[in-house]
Amino acid sequence: MDNANTTTYIKGFAWLLAGLVALGPLAIDAYLPAMPIMATDLETSLHNIEITLSVFLIGFAAGQLIGGPLSDHFGRRLTILVGLSLFTFGSVFIALGSSIELLWFGRVLQAFGGGMGVVNTMAVVRDRYSGKDSAKILSQIVTIMMAAPLLAPFIGAFFLIISDWRSIFWFLAAYAVLLLFLLRRYLPETRKVSTAPKQSALRRYLSVLQHKRALGVLFAVAFSNAGMFTFITTSPGVYMGHYGVSESLYPILFAVNIIALSLCNQINIRVLKHFEPEQVLRTGQKLQLGIGVMMVLTVTAFNLPIWLLVPQIMLFVGMQGFVVANGMSRVADFFPHNSATASALVSSSGFTMGALVGGVAALMSDGDPFTMVAVMASSPLLGIILRVLMHQSARE
């Protein structure tokens, strides 16, 4: 394959795979503006509607854990197409549902299918690229798909203006169908056929967990995600509750973090021309820890005013651009014939750790900025400690 064709292939795949990855943020964020209306229409409490977020996260993680081994066994293309079909059915089920129980069931189906599809993104990249090239492509994908969490609430609000909350889920179903058509037509099977005996899903996961260096990188990614999810979970209480930020200003203060993350992903692409992915990952961890410590010191000494808190959090979240893409790339490099399973484990671990740590921080915080920044700073510290311990153990 010549260089020109390779460049075209990379650009096309970056857009297609970014569209697939965006499925998660769109399904999570697009219906947030509609939650109060949904509660009224379904004659249930707002709390019951909010539970659909937790339900989605659980289903999404399960879809990744199961979809990874299925992809390594049956192929990327089939697993993606089945996942998108399940997501479509789940979205239609929700749009037609008339009770909170049906909504919960639809969200599980939607999330499980979405997880099955999204987990294959890293595997497809790893099938074609490795090392720096793999990390660069992942950074491009993340940069493109960052538009999803920025636009999703506005998309939901738009559909509420022109129709009702059910139209949001009809939109998600249509989006999945479009992806299904494009990927079925343009995505070739990329899985490398291995001559080794087929392994069960459990053995595939155990092979990843028993690899000390891969496990160290997994911890790095998981706890970096935990720091970001802590902010996502506690920021409404801190920004709007403690600092009195208005509901119209909060989305803007939230969106600047996505912009910072996108910029750092672009910087990561350029940095990888000169450094190896694991070098950049380690530096990103250290910088994230340093920023976290600075936030703790500032809130202790100066009560961390909002104008000083926002840029520091932007930098903290931005460091994800150096940790996640390089971490995912590094783990996949360890398992060329098991990359979907490895990616599923890293992704679901990051998702799960983020949900657990973020949830604990929310229970502890009650709008207190010190608790938020202390938990955020602790997350990369734990990630660094566990990565170093695992890597030292691998040398013994």
Side-chain angles (χ1 to χ4, degrees):
M1 186 178 290
D2 59 42
N3 292 335
N5 289 338
T6 301
T7 302
T8 302
Y9 182 86
I10 289 174
K11 289 182 178 178
F13 262 47
W15 281 98
L16 278 176
L17 296 179
L20 181 60
V21 176
L23 204 65
L26 284 174
I28 291 171
D29 298 334
Y31 81 123
L32 294 180
M35 281 187 168
I37 298 173
M38 293 171 66
T40 301
D41 187 53
L42 295 176
E43 298 181 348
T44 188
S45 66
L46 181 59
H47 175 70
N48 282 338
I49 299 297
E50 290 173 340
I51 289 176
T52 61
L53 278 173
S54 299
V55 168
F56 185 90
L57 294 178
I58 294 170
F60 199 76
Q64 292 181 79
L65 288 172
I66 294 174
L70 287 177
S71 173
D72 284 331
H73 187 84
F74 295 105
R76 319 303 186 207
R77 196 168 181 269
L78 177 62
T79 309
I80 290 174
L81 298 181
V82 170
L84 285 172
S85 298
L86 290 175
F87 183 93
T88 302
F89 290 137
S91 300
V92 172
F93 198 91
I94 295 169
L96 296 174
S98 58
S99 69
I100 187 62
E101 292 79 14
L102 294 177
L103 180 60
W104 288 339
F105 177 79
R107 284 295 273 178
V108 170
L109 188 60
Q110 188 187 48
F112 189 85
M116 282 185 64
V118 169
V119 73
N120 280 276
T121 304
M122 180 61 233
V124 170
V125 172
R126 179 57 187 81
D127 290 341
R128 298 300 301 237
Y129 309 100
S130 62
K132 292 183 179 181
D133 290 335
S134 173
K136 288 177 183 177
I137 298 303
L138 283 174
S139 289
Q140 290 177 359
I141 291 171
V142 171
T143 300
I144 295 169
M145 64 78 56
M146 276 298 116
L150 281 172
L151 295 176
F154 297 100
I155 292 172
F158 169 75
F159 280 107
L160 286 178
I161 292 173
I162 64 171
S163 184
D164 59 12
W165 67 266
R166 297 176 189 277
S167 62
I168 297 172
F169 292 95
W170 285 119
F171 160 75
L172 291 173
Y175 180 81
V177 169
L178 177 62
L179 279 178
L180 189 64
F181 169 77
L182 292 174
L183 292 169
R184 184 176 183 275
R185 180 165 183 173
Y186 296 110
L187 178 70
E189 179 54 60
T190 62
R191 178 176 64 105
K192 297 177 181 178
V193 179
S194 174
T195 56
K198 295 292 184 182
Q199 292 180 312
S200 67
L202 179 60
R203 286 188 177 276
R204 289 178 185 273
Y205 280 121
L206 285 176
S207 69
V208 178
L209 292 173
Q210 290 169 352
H211 194 293
K212 297 293 181 65
R213 290 188 65 84
L215 195 58
V217 176
L218 182 149
F219 282 130
V221 173
F223 279 99
S224 183
N225 273 332
M228 185 179 70
F229 271 94
T230 295
F231 165 71
I232 292 173
T233 306
T234 59
S235 61
V238 172
Y239 279 15
M240 293 187 285
H242 182 82
Y243 289 109
V245 170
S246 66
E247 293 180 1
S248 58
L249 179 58
Y250 171 75
I252 298 173
L253 296 182
F254 186 88
V256 294
N257 298 287
I258 307 299
I259 295 171
L261 182 55
S262 299
L263 289 174
C264 286
N265 272 292
Q266 286 297 307
I267 295 171
N268 184 54
I269 294 172
R270 288 160 176 76
V271 169
L272 286 168
K273 295 178 182 178
H274 309 286
F275 300 95
E276 294 299 319
E278 192 162 341
Q279 291 177 295
V280 182
L281 179 149
R282 292 197 299 265
T283 302
Q285 278 190 294
K286 293 173 184 176
L287 289 173
Q288 195 171 48
L289 174 59
I291 296 164
V293 171
M294 183 170 62
M295 288 192 296
V296 172
L297 294 176
T298 309
V299 74
T300 303
F302 305 108
N303 196 28
L304 199 60
I306 187 72
W307 58 267
L308 194 57
L309 174 62
V310 171
Q312 290 186 49
I313 289 181
M314 285 177 63
L315 291 173
F316 184 94
V317 173
M319 292 304 105
Q320 290 283 104
F322 302 114
V323 176
V324 176
N326 292 304
M328 295 287 285
S329 172
R330 189 71 182 111
V331 170
D333 280 343
F334 291 129
F335 306 96
H337 299 295
N338 204 14
S339 57
T341 300
S343 299
L345 191 58
V346 175
S347 180
S348 60
S349 297
F351 225 21
T352 303
M353 188 64 69
L356 289 175
V357 175
V360 171
L363 291 174
M364 295 169 54
S365 174
D366 195 27
D368 174 27
F370 176 79
T371 301
M372 180 182 76
V373 298
V375 175
M376 289 174 68
S378 300
S379 297
L381 175 61
L382 288 171
I384 290 172
I385 291 172
L386 289 170
R387 175 181 56 78
V388 172
L389 288 176
M390 289 296 103
H391 287 193
Q392 288 179 344
S393 177
R395 298 193 191 102
E396 295 176 356

